[in-house]
Amino acid sequence: MDFNELKPKVSDLVSNSSSLNKTLKDVCELLKYSVPYYDWVGFYFKNGEKKELKIGPYAGLATDHTIIPFGKGICGQVAVSSENLVVPDVNAQNNYIACSLNVKSEIVIPLFVNNINIGQIDVDSNTADPFTREDERFLEFVCESVASIM
Ligand code: SME
């Protein structure tokens, strides 16, 4: 399914939301099962006043990395920079937290509410270098959509 077909499905989930966590989980499942190279899709959010991220709803294998300090790994870097981070080859990244040995690449897009970086969507792929500008634009759309109900 291409991103133009997926966008209205994301919008439907968001506009019919009755529970934030269920909607976030449904969005993760939709993305994971619709995009062949999305092997793990999840949200991380700032953990209260702490300088760390806490895992939110996700689709894919359970991870040990439920708490990630700001600055650590791909996710922690985006918590600090508030900028998209696309990693075509995770083995070439020094500041990377491995969740599964199968993962080859990763993309993290920050999620803003009222211009404040409150979290992110994280996608891991078992395919090398699969992410393009289209993924960035699509995942920005996903973050903006879910931000509207937060
Ligand atoms: N690889 C991430 C950790 C989170 S897992 O991918 C689910 C990172 O380096 O921040």
Side-chain angles (χ1 to χ4, degrees):
M1 196 182 302
D2 73 24
F3 294 137
N4 285 330
E5 289 174 80
L6 266 179
K7 280 180 170 185
K9 292 182 189 288
V10 171
S11 299
D12 280 351
L13 287 174
V14 168
S15 45
N16 295 321
S17 174
S18 53
S19 144
L20 176 62
N21 277 344
K22 180 172 188 316
T23 302
L24 294 177
K25 172 84 176 169
D26 288 346
V27 167
C28 292
E29 302 270 352
L30 172 69
L31 270 53
K32 178 180 181 330
Y33 293 107
S34 305
V35 185
Y37 54 92
Y38 285 13
D39 293 294
W40 190 94
V41 180
F43 290 92
Y44 281 90
F45 293 104
K46 185 167 191 279
N47 190 14
E49 293 307 306
K50 297 182 185 164
K51 295 229 171 286
E52 65 184 29
L53 294 163
K54 185 178 179 190
I55 200 163
Y58 64 89
L61 295 177
T63 172
D64 291 339
H65 305 290
T66 54
I67 297 285
I68 298 178
F70 279 17
K72 300 282 182 204
I74 314 299
C75 296
Q77 292 181 65
V78 171
V80 173
S81 72
S82 298
E83 287 178 1
N84 297 352
L85 187 49
V86 181
V87 181
D89 174 7
V90 293
N91 293 317
Q93 255 279 339
N94 294 327
N95 192 358
Y96 169 67
I97 303 166
C99 282
S100 150
L101 293 177
N102 296 326
V103 174
K104 293 200 169 64
S105 56
E106 180 161 358
I107 182 171
V108 177
I109 306 291
L111 195 163
F112 301 95
V113 173
N114 298 328
N115 293 320
I116 295 169
N117 175 359
I118 62 142
Q120 51 193 236
I121 192 166
D122 175 19
V123 179
D124 287 352
S125 178
N126 299 342
T127 301
D129 197 8
F131 303 115
T132 68
R133 295 265 179 220
E134 298 303 307
D135 294 272
E136 288 190 68
R137 298 294 90 80
F138 171 66
L139 293 169
E140 286 166 358
F141 170 86
V142 171
C143 284
E144 285 162 20
S145 301
V146 302
S148 71
I149 53 167
M150 298 192 71

